Amino acid sequence: MKLKKPNQVSIETLEEVPGGAYILQFDGGTIKKLGVGGYLVWGPDGKLKVAQALWFGEERTTNNECELGALLGALKWVK
């Protein structure tokens, strides 16, 4: 499977942002009260920096909680 960098961002090129920009893609959801999620982080150079799958289990039981958990994971990685 080949991952493609997203092509819809709010700026024309990453070079327009001082110091470059990271693009985060994340999602999460639940099935029968078991939470899962994941994220991709693309660097200013356009290369994939990290891809992470997450298992929340019964710790997060709504779609919103799982999506937020995936976003937080991506932001911690960028930090």
Side-chain angles (χ1 to χ4, degrees):
M1 178 168 88
K2 185 174 181 179
L3 298 174
K4 290 185 177 181
K5 180 182 167 197
N7 59 6
Q8 295 179 352
V9 294
S10 61
I11 55 176
E12 289 297 318
T13 64
L14 293 178
E15 290 77 26
E16 290 181 13
V17 178
Y22 285 86
I23 296 175
L24 310 179
Q25 292 178 297
F26 60 94
D27 198 7
T30 61
I31 298 174
K32 297 183 181 180
K33 300 284 186 182
L34 296 175
V36 296
Y39 59 88
L40 302 171
V41 177
W42 301 88
D45 58 1
K47 294 182 180 178
L48 182 64
K49 300 299 181 184
V50 65
Q52 180 70 52
L54 303 168
W55 170 256
F56 299 120
E58 293 179 350
E59 178 184 331
R60 293 194 167 102
T61 58
T62 69
N63 289 345
N64 289 343
E65 289 175 321
C66 293
E67 288 181 359
L68 181 58
L71 173 59
L72 291 174
L75 290 172
K76 285 179 185 176
W77 189 91
V78 171
K79 177 185 171 188

